[in-house]
Amino acid sequence: MKAQSNDGRASASVTQAEPEGVVDARVSPLGSLENLSQREVQQLLSSKQSGVYELFRRCALAVLSSGLESDDVRAIFDRYKDFEIKLGRQAWGIKLEVKNAPASAFVDGSMIRGIKEHLFSVLRDIVYIHDAILGSDRFDLNDPVSITNAVYHILRNARILDYKGRPDLVVCWGGHSIGTAEYDYTKRVGYELGLRALSVCTGCGPGAMKGPMKGATIGHSKQRIREGRYIGMTEPGIIAAEPPNPIVNQLVIMPDIEKRLEAFVRCAHAIIVFPGGAGTAEEILYLLGILLDPANADQPLPVVFTGPPSAAEYFGQIDHFIGATLGEAARSRYKIIIGDPPQAAREVYKGIESVREYRRTKSDAYNYNWLLKIPEDFQRPFEPTHEAMARLELRRDLPAHLMAANLRRAFSGIVAGNVKENGIHAIEEHGPFELHGDKEVMTLLDDLLSAFVRQKRMKIAGEYKPCYRLVA
C-alpha cells in the first residue's frame, strides 16, 4: 500500500508482515536534524568497518523498540536481527530507509512522530560525537577541562542549552524496574513539579524515568504551559535496555555513562531520587562523591530522596549504607521525604531559588554549571571488565571521595552485568564479577544488593541471577 509520512510527503510503500510484526518504510526528518554535509553522510555510510554504522543501527533499533516491556538487550536484538537502516539523500535533505523495524513504532503505515524525532536525534548525536568530538583534535578526552567542554558542545548541538529562562530543571533519577505504587508516586511528584512550572530531565527510559514526565504534562497543562521540557539523557550502552519513553521531547545521546552523568549534574538545578536499583545507587554515589569535594562545599544543589510509604525501608537502607561508607557529611547533602509529593516539590522549588541566586552572584550560566568541580576519578570512563572490577579498592580507610568513586564503579559494573550487552557476554564467558574489600564494607554492600534482589529492583521480569560475587 502507499502511505503518507508524518510530514505529509509521500513515502515508499510500507509493508507489514505478521506474525513477525515488522515494517519496511522510508522516513524523512521533521526538522529535528540539520542537513548533513556530504562528508558526514559519506562518513556514516562508509564507516561499517569502524563500528560507527553498527552503533547507529543498534541505537536506532532501541529507539524503535520503545514501549516493549523488556530490559533484555539480547532478546530485543535477536528478535529484530534482520533489522536494517540505510541513509540516503533526497531533494529536501536526508532520508532513512528502515527494513524489518518493530511494527509498534508505526500507526496506520506512518512512523509515530515522537519516535521519528528520537530516531533523528540518535543520528544527529552519533554523527556529531564521532565527527566533532572523537574524530577531532579539539578535545583532549584525557583532560578534565576538555571533557567538560566536550559535554557542553554535545548538549549545545542537541539544543538542550537553548533555554534561556530562570533555572527550572529538575533531574529525576530512579529505577526502570519499579512496582505500580512507586510508579504512581513518581507521577504525583511530577504533577506537583509541573504545577510549579518546573521542567523534568530523566534517563529517558521507563519506570521512574517516565513517571515524573507523565505527571508533569498534566501539571503543565493545568498551568497552560505549552512548551514544557521533558529531557532524556542516555548513552549507547544503556539505551536498548531503557529505550526513550514517548514523553521525551528533547533526547540526547552521550558517548558514555560518565559523560551522561556529568551532563545530568551540570544541567540540573535540583535532583530528585526515586526508588531504584544498582543504576540509581550508581547515580547517588556519583553525585555525593562530587558534592563531597571541598571545592563544591558552597554549591547549592537541592537533593531530595522521595517515595511512597512502602519505600521507607528502601531509603532507610540507602541512608544507612551512605552513612556507614561515606559518613555524615554525605548524609547532610540530601533530604528524605516519604509519602508527600507536594512537600518534595516545594523543597526543590525553594532550593532552586538558592541556585539561581548563587549562579547570578557568581556570574555562572543558568543552563550549564561551569563552576561545579568534578574530580577526574568521576570523569574517567570505567570499563567494567573482570580485571577492573577485581582491582577496585573498597576499604573503610579510604578518603570519602575515593570510596564514593570506587563504589560508583562497582555499581556501574553491576548495571553492565545486569542489562548491558557487553557485560552480559562477559558474565556468561567468565562468570560473575568479583568485588574485593574489607569485611565491613562487603557486609554493607551485600545487605544492600540482597535487598535490591528481594525487592525485584534488578530486572523488569524473570528470575534474577546475580552477576557479582563479594569477597571479603
Side-chain angles (χ1 to χ4, degrees):
M1 65 178 177
K2 201 72 174 176
Q4 291 289 318
S5 64
N6 287 347
D7 56 4
R9 302 186 181 99
S11 75
S13 60
V14 176
T15 58
Q16 181 169 339
E18 297 292 349
E20 290 82 3
V22 295
V23 167
D24 297 343
R26 184 172 62 189
V27 188
S28 301
L30 287 168
S32 62
L33 179 74
E34 300 290 348
N35 287 335
L36 295 181
S37 69
Q38 292 282 356
R39 175 181 174 275
E40 289 169 324
V41 172
Q42 188 58 36
Q43 179 192 39
L44 192 59
L45 292 175
S46 63
S47 60
K48 291 187 178 182
Q49 297 302 318
S50 68
V52 178
Y53 173 82
E54 181 60 20
L55 176 63
F56 169 57
R57 174 186 170 275
R58 295 169 82 80
C59 288
L61 178 56
V63 166
L64 293 168
S65 300
S66 178
L68 296 179
E69 294 296 323
S70 173
D71 58 359
D72 190 332
V73 175
R74 293 184 305 175
I76 293 174
F77 290 146
D78 288 346
R79 181 176 177 182
Y80 299 102
K81 61 181 180 297
D82 296 326
F83 170 73
E84 296 180 19
I85 186 165
K86 296 180 180 179
L87 182 66
R89 285 201 167 273
Q90 55 192 2
W92 51 83
I94 61 171
K95 65 179 178 182
L96 292 174
E97 293 187 9
V98 297
K99 292 186 177 182
N100 301 312
S104 59
F106 297 81
V107 59
D108 295 338
S110 292
M111 186 176 289
I112 295 169
R113 185 184 180 99
I115 290 178
K116 181 189 285 192
E117 290 180 356
H118 291 168
L119 183 62
F120 281 95
S121 293
V122 168
L123 176 60
R124 175 201 65 210
D125 293 338
I126 294 295
V127 168
Y128 182 77
I129 288 169
H130 284 272
D131 183 55
I133 305 297
L134 303 179
S136 166
D137 58 4
R138 294 173 60 197
F139 301 100
D140 177 5
L141 297 183
N142 293 312
D143 173 63
V145 173
S146 191
I147 290 172
T148 296
N149 280 318
V151 171
Y152 175 85
H153 278 265
I154 294 167
L155 294 172
R156 187 177 69 177
N157 183 67
R159 298 180 176 170
I160 301 297
L161 304 179
D162 282 359
Y163 178 77
K164 303 301 181 184
R166 292 167 66 93
D168 75 337
L169 191 62
V170 181
V171 167
C172 295
W173 287 336
H176 70 288
S177 177
I178 58 174
T180 301
E182 291 175 356
Y183 177 69
D184 289 342
Y185 186 87
T186 68
K187 288 194 295 184
R188 286 158 51 204
V189 172
Y191 170 71
E192 296 292 339
L193 297 176
L195 288 177
R196 291 163 177 79
L198 298 175
S199 296
V200 176
C201 174
T202 77
C204 90
M209 291 167 275
K210 179 182 178 182
M213 291 184 173
K214 195 168 185 177
T217 61
I218 305 302
H220 287 160
S221 180
K222 283 192 173 184
Q223 297 287 21
R224 298 300 186 262
I225 297 170
R226 294 177 173 80
E227 302 297 328
R229 292 188 297 155
Y230 314 108
I231 300 171
M233 295 182 180
T234 187
E235 52 101 4
I238 201 71
I239 189 171
E242 298 175 356
N245 73 69
I247 303 169
V248 171
N249 61 12
Q250 288 184 278
L251 175 68
V252 59
I253 316 294
M254 303 303 294
D256 51 54
I257 186 64
E258 286 77 16
K259 294 175 185 61
R260 180 196 190 198
L261 289 167
E262 180 163 352
F264 275 132
V265 298
R266 290 203 185 274
C267 288
H269 301 123
I271 293 178
I272 290 178
V273 181
F274 296 107
T280 305
E282 177 185 6
E283 291 163 341
I284 291 171
L285 291 162
Y286 177 90
L287 175 64
L288 294 179
I290 290 169
L291 295 180
L292 286 173
D293 190 294
N296 297 322
D298 296 329
Q299 276 271 352
L301 182 64
V303 179
V304 171
F305 296 177
T306 191
S310 60
E313 180 184 0
Y314 167 82
F315 281 117
Q317 292 163 336
I318 291 284
D319 185 53
H320 174 70
F321 181 81
I322 291 169
T325 55
L326 304 183
E328 291 303 309
R331 296 182 70 223
S332 71
R333 293 306 305 242
Y334 58 84
K335 292 186 178 180
I336 299 176
I337 297 174
I338 299 297
D340 194 343
Q343 181 57 29
R346 283 193 290 267
E347 189 67 36
V348 298
Y349 185 84
K350 179 179 67 175
I352 286 174
E353 287 302 305
S354 299
V355 172
R356 186 189 71 81
E357 182 62 22
Y358 181 85
R359 302 273 186 95
R360 187 190 64 80
T361 301
K362 299 292 185 178
S363 299
D364 195 16
Y366 284 165
N367 60 0
Y368 193 79
N369 189 345
W370 290 101
L371 294 180
L372 185 71
K373 180 185 177 183
I374 299 183
E376 189 174 350
D377 283 336
F378 292 89
Q379 287 185 309
R380 191 182 305 117
F382 175 68
E383 184 66 28
T385 64
H386 281 73
E387 293 76 16
M389 291 286 280
R391 285 198 303 268
L392 291 176
E393 294 184 90
L394 302 174
R395 305 191 319 270
R396 283 299 305 273
D397 60 349
L398 289 175
H401 67 284
L402 288 180
M403 173 64 90
N406 285 345
L407 284 171
R408 198 285 298 181
R409 291 174 179 134
F411 279 102
S412 186
I414 293 170
V415 172
N418 284 348
V419 298
K420 294 188 180 182
E421 190 175 20
N422 289 344
I424 293 171
H425 280 308
I427 298 300
E428 287 182 342
E429 185 174 352
H430 303 292
F433 292 129
E434 283 194 355
L435 291 169
H436 297 260
D438 61 39
K439 184 175 181 180
E440 186 176 356
V441 174
M442 290 296 100
T443 299
L444 291 165
L445 195 55
D446 184 45
D447 290 344
L448 187 63
L449 291 170
S450 296
F452 290 171
V453 174
R454 286 195 310 272
Q455 296 164 13
K456 300 188 183 301
R457 298 186 181 279
M458 294 296 208
K459 293 209 38 104
I460 287 178
E463 183 179 353
Y464 176 69
K465 184 177 180 180
C467 64
Y468 59 88
R469 182 184 301 121
L470 307 181
V471 181

